[in-house]
Amino acid sequence: MFLNKVLVIAMFFLFTIMFSQKKRKDTIVNKLDEVIVTATTTKRQLSSLPMPVTLITQKNIKKTSATRLRDIIVEQTGIILVSDFGSSEGVQIQGMDAEYTLILVNGLPYIGRTSGNLDLNRISVNNIKQIEIVKGPSSSLYGSEALGGVINIITEIPKSEQTNSELSYAGRFGAEKELDLSFEITHQKDKLGIESRINLNSGSGYDVSPETENNTVNPYQNYNGNLRLTYDISDQLKFVADGRYFNQKVFNSDSKAEQKDYGLSTKLTHWINEKNKIDFSFYTTRFKTESQFDGNTSVFNQTLLRPEIKGQFKIKSSDLIVGVGGNFDALERTFFDGKEQYNSQYVFTQYDTKIKNKVNLILGLRYDHFNTFKSAISPKISAIYKFNTWLSTKTSVGLGYKVPDFRQLFFNFRNTAGGYVVLGTEVLHELYGNLSSVSNLSKELAPESSIGYNLGFDFKPFKNLSLHLNFFRNDISDLINTFVVDTNFPDLPNTTVFSYENRAKVFTQGLEFNGSYKINTNFNITFGYQFLDTGDKEEINKIKSGEVFFRRSPSSPSEIIQLDNYFGLANRSRHTGNIKLFYKNFDHNFSLNARILYRSKYALFDTNNSGGIIDEFDQFASPNTQINIGGSLKLLNIFTVQFGIDNLFNNTEQENKASFENIDAVLQLGRTFYTRIQFNF
């Protein structure tokens, strides 16, 4: 019903204002460097934004020769890629878990979180114009999953009003028989623009810890393709269509798996005049995995449909954005009793205004209505004050939320041979709602929520030196935890039953420091550091009341843990940093770079029987430093040769073997050599 209403509204706007407005003058091309759109959905210069944002330009991506998004993300300040015990990686921002970071491509969500993480290897960096990272709650614009931040990958758009064609090829040859080939064709003539890309990637797999049961990485091959069409219907109407397809197969001696991912989006932009416009967009995407192990087949099949209408209006020196849309999300997977659906409708608005040319104030608000659980309201306020040309301060406060996922509601996994069962809350009540202790449990999970604070300062004391300092705090409530249902189930004797509940309250806080210094036209340096402090408020209260004990060894007496001994949340490092050096020789068309990455110690879990609490006496993964180097040489203005070594000194963290049974979760993957050749015709 809601979808029908959206379509009716879209058609009404389309036909009533398409032909009734004056001709739009040619838009002035925005030539500002470092233009970003994710934080406000409007074009803004990075330095003018009142919230912490990282921009990775196409130029910086090419410097590193990376072929996958994860290789770029891992080198950014305050961002850690963490592995779970299923060998998938997720993005940790400001200490927030990976499931709280929303991944977008051209402003549209990537789906396919099987255990909270999204596989970043599905995304190739070829044809990426820039990557925009917004830190802190962004639910006021983007809704669920943006509780901790947003990463938006923006691809190139064919340049309009030019007639040209271009063909390019790039190849990367790495260790372990890694092969990455890319072909790209762009064509622009008059009002029509076409951009297409095909990427092929394969590897033989490797195992850096043969003493463990599984390979570190299994042999694989994948390919993906992208197609973008742009067409200027008239001076008032612009049409863009984007399509993508990804297919990957993973091989092992006793199992195999296949992933498929496709997305199609269309957007019709109607310029009412040169300052006001309305976008009509529709997006559909599907992610499917199918794996076979020991004769059993496991399937994960998720689809998403999203219609949306968004208007952007100029009111004197202010910008007003108003939008309405819907999400129709469905998932069919093994261990579900059938196909489950989430339906939601949302309305959002944002008001962006300037006050006396020194203050920029942004107010945002979003309302989401769901068919399965409670609705959510997400406000946010951000402001920047410019003292002078070299000093400014920025602050933001916002609420974020994340709705329960399908697994937490509908999972029905039974391993009776192993002595345990995992049931989503809906399944638990449907099957055992007649048991009194189960009936007393809350059936409806509330969305996880957070309030995030950021206070930052930008300094530019000299022309070639820029410094950025940001303090942050995130308080997260109603975190959904797994717990043991304290009930005797008649049909499940001697079996532990797990389910989910809203319980935990945690926090992350710290500071982030970034800087860049251009020594001369040939040489520049960037650097960054993050200090992170995290904790579970319930665990802290238990420590304060003297309820937590530990043993230094199995035979030693129990001791009380003091608050000074508390370390915080699992898989968090208190100190991370990076230094990047870039050199460019213009006379001979070559460049060199070195990137140094540091992460301090971290703990994966409680190892001294202190009730799941991580303290200074637990076993930690050791601190590590990784050095990556690279370079490029342009020859005959036709092709560019890039080369590099990741993990130059082959730091594999073998010293962690004695502390962790699942050593793959903390190992680096050894030294990798690569070359990349790109031809431009």
Side-chain angles (χ1 to χ4, degrees):
M1 182 64 69
F2 178 77
L3 178 58
N4 294 334
K5 291 181 179 179
V6 170
L7 294 176
V8 169
I9 294 172
M11 296 302 292
F12 172 79
F13 273 102
L14 181 62
F15 288 107
T16 54
I17 58 182
M18 183 186 298
F19 307 107
S20 61
Q21 305 298 328
K22 295 180 180 179
K23 259 192 169 184
R24 182 178 69 91
K25 296 179 181 178
D26 292 336
T27 304
I28 299 174
V29 178
N30 193 337
K31 295 183 179 180
L32 291 174
D33 291 334
E34 298 186 333
V35 172
I36 196 165
V37 298
T38 307
T40 63
T41 74
T42 58
K43 288 185 177 181
R44 291 285 299 269
Q45 194 172 11
L46 179 62
S47 60
S48 72
L49 289 169
M51 63 277 292
V53 179
T54 299
L55 176 64
I56 309 170
T57 64
Q58 188 180 62
K59 180 180 179 181
N60 288 333
I61 293 173
K62 290 182 176 180
K63 283 181 179 179
T64 64
S65 304
T67 59
R68 287 292 176 266
L69 177 62
R70 60 96 52 213
D71 301 326
I72 298 295
I73 297 297
V74 74
E75 296 187 357
Q76 307 309 309
T77 304
I79 296 179
I80 295 294
L81 288 182
V82 295
S83 300
D84 62 18
F85 292 103
S87 299
S88 64
E89 288 183 315
V91 181
Q92 187 186 101
I93 297 180
Q94 291 187 347
M96 302 282 280
D97 277 333
E99 59 190 305
Y100 305 125
T101 298
L102 181 63
I103 307 295
L104 306 172
V105 176
N106 294 322
L108 299 170
Y110 237 48
I111 63 172
R113 295 179 185 265
T114 55
S115 59
N117 292 344
L118 271 175
D119 182 10
L120 297 182
N121 288 324
R122 290 161 52 192
I123 305 174
S124 170
V125 299
N126 296 294
N127 191 44
I128 289 181
K129 179 182 179 183
Q130 61 191 46
I131 301 170
E132 302 175 356
I133 304 171
V134 182
K135 299 177 180 178
S138 300
S139 293
S140 61
L141 280 178
Y142 296 104
S144 181
E145 295 183 9
L147 185 146
V150 174
I151 297 177
N152 190 13
I153 298 97
I154 300 175
T155 60
E156 281 281 14
I157 298 177
K159 298 177 175 61
S160 61
E161 298 180 358
Q162 297 181 12
T163 300
N164 61 69
S165 297
E166 183 175 299
L167 170 66
S168 64
Y169 158 78
R172 168 173 164 153
F173 311 91
E176 309 300 338
K177 299 181 181 179
E178 181 196 6
L179 175 64
D180 191 276
L181 304 176
S182 294
F183 305 88
E184 182 178 328
I185 300 175
T186 61
H187 175 73
Q188 179 69 47
K189 185 175 181 180
D190 300 327
K191 298 181 178 182
L192 176 65
I194 301 174
E195 191 277 333
S196 62
R197 176 181 55 81
I198 297 176
N199 177 252
L200 308 174
N201 182 262
S202 64
S204 62
Y206 49 87
D207 189 8
V208 296
S209 54
E211 69 278 6
T212 61
E213 182 178 353
N214 299 320
N215 291 331
T216 304
V217 173
N218 289 319
Y220 69 94
Q221 63 180 26
N222 64 55
Y223 60 90
N224 60 59
N226 294 78
L227 176 65
R228 166 168 283 198
L229 303 175
T230 62
Y231 187 73
D232 295 346
I233 300 173
S234 68
D235 289 333
Q236 289 84 34
L237 288 175
K238 311 293 180 184
F239 177 78
V240 178
D242 279 291
R244 72 168 191 273
Y245 180 79
F246 172 85
N247 181 284
Q248 175 170 272
K249 294 181 180 180
V250 179
F251 309 95
N252 199 1
S253 58
D254 56 356
S255 66
K256 63 179 181 179
E258 183 175 11
Q259 290 183 358
K260 293 182 180 180
D261 173 27
Y262 76 78
L264 175 64
S265 67
T266 60
K267 183 172 72 172
L268 182 67
T269 300
H270 173 55
W271 289 89
I272 303 172
N273 52 45
E274 60 183 2
K275 295 182 179 180
N276 303 303
K277 67 175 183 176
I278 297 177
D279 292 329
F280 307 92
S281 60
F282 182 81
Y283 175 54
T284 178
T285 182
R286 178 187 182 189
F287 176 79
K288 181 178 181 180
T289 66
E290 184 172 334
S291 58
Q292 295 181 356
F293 181 74
D294 286 343
N296 297 317
T297 300
S298 178
V299 176
F300 182 100
N301 186 10
Q302 183 179 7
T303 59
L304 173 66
L305 298 176
R306 170 182 287 184
E308 183 180 277
I309 302 173
K310 183 179 71 175
Q312 181 178 331
F313 309 99
K314 192 79 173 179
I315 305 173
K316 294 183 179 180
S317 61
S318 305
D319 290 297
L320 175 66
I321 294 175
V322 180
V324 59
N327 287 312
F328 302 88
D329 197 355
L331 176 61
E332 181 180 7
R333 68 171 296 184
T334 306
F335 310 122
F336 279 18
D337 292 334
K339 187 176 184 180
E340 304 296 344
Q341 292 185 333
Y342 278 171
N343 294 332
S344 67
Q345 302 85 40
Y346 59 86
V347 178
F348 65 92
T349 184
Q350 176 182 273
Y351 183 67
D352 185 345
T353 187
K354 292 182 179 180
I355 304 174
K356 295 183 179 180
N357 294 324
K358 282 187 173 290
V359 177
N360 178 209
L361 180 66
I362 300 178
L363 305 173
L365 182 66
R366 179 178 171 120
Y367 172 77
D368 290 82
H369 172 74
F370 304 98
N371 69 324
T372 307
F373 31 77
K374 295 178 181 179
S375 301
I377 298 177
S378 309
K380 185 173 184 177
I381 180 171
S382 306
I384 182 171
Y385 180 79
K386 293 188 176 182
F387 294 96
N388 47 48
T389 57
W390 60 273
L391 175 62
S392 63
T393 182
K394 56 182 68 176
T395 184
S396 66
V397 180
L399 294 182
Y401 77 94
K402 179 183 179 298
V403 299
D405 60 35
F406 287 102
R407 170 177 49 96
Q408 293 159 346
L409 294 178
F410 306 114
F411 207 44
N412 189 350
F413 177 79
R414 296 171 182 265
N415 186 0
T416 52
Y420 71 95
V421 170
V422 184
L423 302 176
T425 56
E426 294 283 341
V427 175
L428 178 65
H429 280 269
E430 180 180 348
L431 297 179
Y432 304 104
N434 59 324
L435 299 178
S436 59
S437 58
V438 171
S439 300
N440 293 331
L441 295 174
S442 175
K443 178 181 179 181
E444 184 177 3
L445 291 177
E448 301 170 272
S449 62
S450 76
I451 180 168
Y453 310 87
N454 284 273
L455 174 63
F457 300 90
D458 290 346
F459 308 88
K460 197 167 185 177
F462 308 107
K463 180 180 179 181
N464 295 335
L465 176 64
S466 297
L467 304 173
H468 310 278
L469 178 65
N470 185 65
F471 299 90
F472 61 87
R473 164 108 182 178
N474 297 287
D475 286 287
I476 308 100
S477 301
D478 292 324
L479 255 70
I480 298 176
N481 283 349
T482 305
F483 77 105
V484 178
V485 183
D486 188 16
T487 300
N488 292 322
F489 293 87
D491 60 334
L492 297 172
N494 303 317
T495 301
T496 302
V497 177
F498 295 92
S499 190
Y500 304 90
E501 65 176 352
N502 292 104
R503 183 175 59 86
K505 294 183 178 181
V506 305
F507 67 86
T508 70
Q509 61 185 8
L511 64 88
E512 181 180 309
F513 177 70
N514 285 283
S516 64
Y517 180 56
K518 187 175 182 179
I519 299 175
N520 52 45
T521 56
N522 302 95
F523 190 79
N524 69 287
I525 179 173
T526 67
F527 45 89
Y529 166 78
Q530 178 183 266
F531 169 76
L532 178 66
D533 178 39
T534 66
D536 184 311
K537 296 178 183 180
E538 183 177 337
E539 293 177 350
I540 292 175
N541 290 333
K542 287 182 178 180
I543 294 174
K544 287 181 178 179
S545 61
E547 300 177 26
V548 183
F549 298 84
F550 79 101
R551 295 178 184 270
R552 296 181 185 270
S553 68
S555 60
S556 63
S558 296
E559 300 179 50
I560 296 178
I561 290 181
Q562 304 297 321
L563 192 58
D564 290 342
N565 304 135
Y566 183 60
F567 190 81
L569 302 180
N571 219 341
R572 269 75 170 182
S573 296
R574 287 185 174 170
H575 308 281
T576 56
N578 63 79
I579 299 175
K580 304 172 189 177
L581 309 169
F582 298 95
Y583 172 77
K584 176 72 173 180
N585 188 301
F586 296 95
D587 293 333
H588 301 287
N589 286 325
F590 77 88
S591 63
L592 299 171
N593 66 80
R595 294 107 58 206
I596 305 170
L597 312 177
Y598 172 77
R599 182 181 183 184
S600 66
K601 68 177 185 178
Y602 58 96
L604 292 179
F605 45 80
D606 169 33
T607 59
N608 60 6
N609 299 316
S610 56
I613 293 176
I614 295 176
D615 56 76
E616 292 285 357
F617 306 107
D618 279 307
Q619 292 178 323
F620 286 80
S622 59
N624 68 77
T625 300
Q626 178 174 325
I627 300 177
N628 304 328
I629 63 173
S632 67
L633 175 64
K634 190 173 184 179
L635 299 173
L636 305 174
N637 292 321
I638 297 176
F639 63 93
T640 301
V641 179
Q642 293 180 308
F643 52 89
I645 305 174
D646 286 347
N647 198 8
L648 178 65
F649 294 106
N650 198 28
N651 177 10
T652 58
E653 301 179 280
Q654 294 294 323
E655 63 271 20
N656 291 313
K657 283 186 176 183
S659 301
F660 299 98
E661 293 181 3
N662 191 338
I663 188 65
D664 290 351
V666 296
L667 280 177
Q668 293 195 37
L669 302 182
R671 184 190 295 119
T672 300
F673 301 86
Y674 62 84
T675 60
R676 178 184 172 98
I677 304 174
Q678 180 165 333
F679 297 89
N680 292 291
F681 303 99

